[in-house]
Amino acid sequence: MMLRSLSPTARRTFLAGLLATLPTFFATPGWSAQQQDPQGDPNAEEEVVVVSNAIEKPSQTDSLVRVNATLQAYNFIRPWEKGAPTPRRGLGVLLKGDRILVTAESVVNATYLELELPESGEKAPAVIVGRDYEANLALLAPAPGNEDFLKNKKPIEIDHTALPRETVEVWQVEDNGDGVSTETEVLRVSVGNYFVEGSVFLVYQLKGSLQSRANSFTLPIVKDNKLVGMLLSYSSKEQTSYILPAPIIEHFLADLEDGDYQGFPNLGIGYSQTLDEQLRRFTGLGDREGGIFIDEVTEDSSAGKAGLKQGDVILSIEGHAIDSRGNYEHPQWGKINFSHLVRGGAKVGDTVNLTVVRDGEEMELPVELMRKEPTEFLVDPYMFDRGPKYKIVGGLIFQELTVPYLQAWGSQWASRAPFKMVYAHANQGLYEKEGRRKLVFLSQVLRAPSTLGYENLGHIIVTKVNGKKINDIRDLAVAFQNPNAQGIHVIEFDEYPKKIFVDARLSGLVNQQLIQYGINQLDRLD
Amino acid sequence: MIASRRLTFTGLLLTFQVLSFSPWLFAEGVKDPEKAIEVPLPESVQTDVSNIEFEAIVRVDVDVLSPNYRVPWNIGSTSSGNGTGFLVGENQFLTNAHVVSNAREIYIKKNSDPNPHKARVLHIAHDCDLALLEVEDPTPFLDVKPVKIGDIPKLNTTVIAVGYPIGGERISVTRGVVSRIDFRAYSHSSVDFHLAVQVDAAINPGNSGGPVLQNGKVVGVAFQGYSGAVAQNTGYMIPVPVIERFLKDVEDGHYDYYVDLAVQHMNLLNPAQRTALSLPNDGRGVMVSIADSSGSAGGILETGDVLLSIDGYDIASDGYVTIEDEQMNLNEIVERKFVGDTVKLAVQRDGQLREMDIELKRFIPYLIQSNQYDQKPQFVLFAGLQFQPIDRNMMEAHGINDLQARYAYAFFGSDELYKERPQIVVLTAVLPDEANTHLQDYPHQVIDEVNGVKVRTLQDVYDALYGNHHEEGKEDFHVIRCVGEGRPLVLERSKAEEAHERIMDKYNVSFDHYIEEPLILKAGVVKLPPLETEPAKKEKAEGSKNESPGSSKPKADGALEASAR
């Protein structure tokens, strides 16, 4: 259990590119928010918890629907494979328009989804109508032909007014269909990690012990029969839960309404706190209070395009003063990390006004907010519902580097995964400068006549194939169509062994053998 | 030769510190009685020990002072241990380098003589784990005949190891056969590979530096092995070619180290490689992948060149050559040569055959990953900020896990980082004080610039902090910028100087820097222009350039005198 508050010792919060990171405090053996492990068992739920003083009472189940998912993650090490299918159950809530809300994590990499009525046990297949893995939310609907399935259910409304020290209820359903409600107290409002590694949003922390029922992966939290949030994680040791709160849910739903989902914007900065008086004097802050020091600005991000620079100090966002720890004062919730002003409090396309100190001078900087898609990064920060891109050439396996690939080394991947790959992930700018869109590397070599002598190669970055520069896996696939006049492919790397040669005809034969051997697909380029 | 990045050596060096080991007990007769494989009896060789001059095989007792890379101004920790040595010439005792590394005091004892004789190191070769000692008073050994040096023994012939291993006080003899002859990592430096001979004679802590004999002649120096938990009956000895090379190298009075081709090659086993490189299918040749630009073959060999022969020995497509009927790594040809010797290569480039003479020299950049011995740790301490250059000892002492530091350490040679920065300096610690309390979350960062000076050596850090350098418009601050880190570390000058004395006092720091010119500069691998200095302070800055400023601090050197050798 590593329940840590967002302590001021978090010297540096990194918002570069996609998301912001804060100390991981969801690495609990609780019900959910397990880090996605591409090899791992996503069905790692905890068993019964001893109840101390929880107040339980029957709840209504009119708006509750069980969501049964079968999940099957792609294998990033053997990219032609998917892992073992695993079941996951969650408790969704019915919203107006016959839509069921669950956390995205409960339906990640789903191959089959069904809805189940708690009272009768009746089932119907379901489809996903909207999802955002960063915000960890998904909206489901009965599959076509099952439109009447929810006719006896009652939609729930959403309430974003919950405040610290208020009592809210966690709703669960027994195996027999009876509803159970457990009272908990909202302790505080802060920002914290969601499901995707590094994805930081608003969270509520609840105090109160919960009992695991029917292995439900996510649960609704309500106040006066209105939805306050969805359970993200629960720690039995601390008897605290983190929930994904209504403001984020409302943002998600509003965004989905027009059929053109934009997602949550981000600034694209890395920052440091400015508690250090010497740093404050160095940056020319003078008598001004608070502010965050900008360590890094991603070039093609919202902040980068608006002209924010490394070394600037942001004093306020949209008139909200930011203190030297990076928090602003929310009228009801108290101190909240400034990231919520952008990630929850604004939409893609909005303009937020920053007050910035640069070289001692104060200036206003309007920033038009955008969002960078995960696919727009050199190294995809996450990848669900689709497999990693790869190409096999006569036993040589080439892939595009992704974070899920690195995560195959477990949660300690930063020190366990192949060093050059970890370094490339942390220094993506170096490779983007070379014109690369993706980082293509030789991931491993299957022993075959065409790869004789190359068996021990792996985790080396490809620079050229047959003289063509390789900026993504498509480039590689095209380059392999043109072996040299001798019928040989020349593959070049940025380090040892620099250059290898494979016979094009022999590779083709080996490819056929690999298919017979059971590798059903020799590439995935989309 | 250079350690390939792809090889990890898991062998455990048998240390000579007897006290810390408990004996391994092997009961007789517990071996598997059912022999699955018929092993021919060892070739009969003379292993009668009655004619061995035991007097020439001595016990080497050593007091060691291990420097403290974590608290570099401290004198270090003392310990003691023992190994074995043997007389090879007039007042010349051969032993392992690891027996006498970091030695403060060395005593040599004969088997028959209770008196220890004070000794000192004549030559030490950390790259091949050998050292020559001499006793201050040679008279007790005047009558002792040196042990004769033999040859590489054949496989499956009997050898005996003689020495002073754990398990008792007096001399010990163990017997076994030669199991394997191969190129191996020498774990003393952890980066060097040489020929080594594997034997199944018991070699235990304390055997280190002792002779392995056959027919009364030395065929090797026992030096390392696996612990029983990893592999059984695998001890290693340094074979005669390595011993003879060392003895010949020091004949001129100094040791000049191994030379290296500094080439990483790719075997040519794949038919496509041979076709692409226009080679016949005759099983010959390896491809040059990388010829380090600062190595012997830098600027001569290119990626894609095919090495066909070396000094007339055909190179097989797996990188082996046949020397005296033994298959050996092609580097073995280079291994037997000295600084300034040449090696003749037959090279095929673009289908053309050409001969190349390559003058051999040492390859220095790889030493960043080598264990350091007999060195004082270098550092600069300023206002509680402790700066140290990257080397293996520092990385291990501080358990450095920072990505930039790990990159610099791992790719210093192969990405030629040394050309810009002959030393990579890391902020290894911050001694807490009110002046630096906000900088404590930044340890292990690689230093990029200090006060506007791009840091190329530890000396630059010293000069930038103690000289008159500052970032433009920031006269009142010391500004330290780290690689890949946007937030500079800043200290107000007035506060820093005041804090410096206070911290030195509070943390019991006896001197605030120790700097040596890095070997890469001393050996001329890289030449650096001097720091640009402010005209007013030019004199002062020049005065300290490339000198060890530590020498101007009597307090400093006095504290470390005891470890000087």
Side-chain angles (χ1 to χ4, degrees), chain B residues 234-257:
Chain B
T234 40
Y236 292 91
M237 64 181 196
I238 300 172
V240 170
V242 178
I243 300 170
E244 284 185 333
R245 189 202 173 282
F246 170 66
L247 293 175
K248 191 165 177 221
D249 191 321
V250 299
E251 270 173 12
D252 61 357
H254 50 87
Y255 183 62
D256 296 315
Y257 300 92

Side-chain angles (χ1 to χ4, degrees), chain A residues 9 11-12 272-273 275-279 281-284 293-296 310-311 414-417 419-420 422-423 426-427 449-454 456-457 460 484 486 488 490 494-503, chain B residues 5-6 264-267 269-273 275-278 287-290 303-304 401 403-404 406-407 410-411 415 434-436 438-439 441-442 445 471 474 477 479 481 484-488 490-493 495-496:
Chain A
T9 54
R11 67 166 169 87
R12 179 166 185 251
S272 292
Q273 301 183 339
L275 293 163
D276 182 352
E277 287 297 328
Q278 297 185 84
L279 179 71
R281 285 191 282 274
F282 176 81
T283 48
F293 183 91
I294 304 307
D295 285 340
E296 186 177 349
Q310 187 269 325
S415 48
R416 289 193 184 147
F419 179 79
K420 202 56 184 281
V422 177
Y423 181 78
N427 293 276
S450 48
T451 60
L452 186 68
Y454 306 148
N456 297 326
L457 299 179
I460 37 179
N484 69 13
Q486 296 167 304
I488 284 171
V490 184
D494 74 342
E495 59 180 313
Y496 181 89
K498 288 282 184 184
K499 209 185 242 190
I500 61 172
F501 306 91
V502 292
D503 188 286
Chain B
R5 283 194 301 280
R6 270 155 283 277
Q264 293 184 61
H265 68 256
M266 183 74 185
N267 294 340
L269 302 171
N270 194 303
Q273 291 171 306
T275 309
L277 298 165
S278 323
M287 188 190 86
V288 173
S289 285
I290 298 165
T303 302
N401 204 22
L403 197 66
Q404 295 293 348
R406 279 164 65 202
Y407 169 73
F411 289 86
D415 283 1
E434 60 185 78
N436 61 32
H438 286 287
L439 305 184
D441 297 324
Y442 292 85
Q445 301 282 324
E471 279 193 9
K474 302 291 181 188
F477 293 90
V479 186
R481 296 191 181 268
E485 185 71 46
R487 182 219 198 272
V490 297
L491 289 166
E492 280 165 323
R493 287 190 183 237
K495 285 204 161 125

Side-chain angles (χ1 to χ4, degrees), chain A residues 235-267:
Chain A
S235 156
S236 55
K237 194 173 156 212
E238 306 282 329
Q239 302 199 343
T240 52
S241 326
Y242 284 94
I243 69 168
L244 190 163
I248 303 299
I249 296 171
E250 286 178 330
H251 191 303
F252 169 73
L253 294 173
D255 197 343
L256 270 175
E257 235 158 49
D258 62 357
D260 177 22
Y261 189 76
Q262 306 276 323
F264 288 74
N266 54 336
L267 276 178

Side-chain angles (χ1 to χ4, degrees), chain A residues 60-317:
Chain A
Q60 55 103 333
T61 57
D62 292 354
S63 46
L64 297 181
V65 182
R66 264 201 224 290
V67 176
N68 301 327
T70 305
L71 313 180
Q72 196 183 15
Y74 282 88
N75 187 322
F76 281 75
I77 298 298
R78 292 184 294 283
W80 55 89
E81 272 183 15
K82 284 178 122 187
T86 49
R88 180 172 286 176
R89 304 180 84 188
L91 199 58
V93 282
L94 181 65
L95 304 178
K96 65 177 190 302
D98 275 0
R99 295 294 187 254
I100 313 285
L101 184 75
V102 287
T103 57
E105 194 184 359
S106 3
V107 295
V108 63
N109 295 314
T111 48
Y112 178 66
L113 284 175
E114 65 183 16
L115 306 176
E116 181 186 329
L117 300 178
E119 305 85 353
S120 63
E122 241 180 292
K123 291 179 177 180
V127 291
I128 295 174
V129 293
R131 100 195 103 188
D132 184 332
Y133 285 114
E134 292 168 33
N136 196 8
L137 286 168
L139 203 58
L140 315 182
N146 300 280
E147 285 77 8
D148 290 346
F149 184 70
L150 299 166
K151 63 179 188 297
N152 296 326
K153 305 294 285 185
K154 229 172 67 191
I156 196 170
E157 297 199 3
I158 297 173
D159 177 1
H160 61 246
T161 64
L163 293 175
R165 286 173 300 282
E166 281 188 351
T167 299
V168 294
E169 297 165 45
V170 181
W171 279 1
Q172 289 175 279
V173 175
E174 300 273 19
D175 278 332
N176 65 11
D178 288 347
V180 183
S181 163
T182 310
E183 283 189 2
T184 58
E185 188 195 329
V186 180
L187 269 184
R188 61 194 293 257
V189 180
S190 57
V191 301
N193 284 294
Y194 275 20
F195 163 50
V196 172
E197 199 170 314
S199 183
V200 168
F201 281 97
L202 194 69
V203 290
Y204 294 174
Q205 190 183 0
L206 307 184
K207 171 93 185 136
S209 63
L210 295 176
Q211 223 177 354
S212 172
R213 283 188 172 83
N215 286 329
S216 187
F217 193 77
T218 185
L219 298 170
I221 288 88
V222 296
K223 187 180 103 177
D224 303 332
N225 292 334
K226 287 179 182 172
L227 185 69
V228 168
M230 300 294 287
L231 186 80
L232 280 171
S233 70
Y234 171 69
S235 156
S236 55
K237 194 173 156 212
E238 306 282 329
Q239 302 199 343
T240 52
S241 326
Y242 284 94
I243 69 168
L244 190 163
I248 303 299
I249 296 171
E250 286 178 330
H251 191 303
F252 169 73
L253 294 173
D255 197 343
L256 270 175
E257 235 158 49
D258 62 357
D260 177 22
Y261 189 76
Q262 306 276 323
F264 288 74
N266 54 336
L267 276 178
I269 58 167
Y271 74 94
S272 292
Q273 301 183 339
T274 59
L275 293 163
D276 182 352
E277 287 297 328
Q278 297 185 84
L279 179 71
R280 298 185 67 82
R281 285 191 282 274
F282 176 81
T283 48
L285 279 171
D287 298 335
R288 300 178 186 97
E289 284 182 6
I292 47 169
F293 183 91
I294 304 307
D295 285 340
E296 186 177 349
V297 180
T298 308
E299 226 170 83
D300 56 354
S301 66
S302 317
K305 285 182 173 162
L308 194 73
K309 290 199 169 78
Q310 187 269 325
D312 288 350
V313 176
I314 301 178
L315 290 180
S316 72
I317 298 180

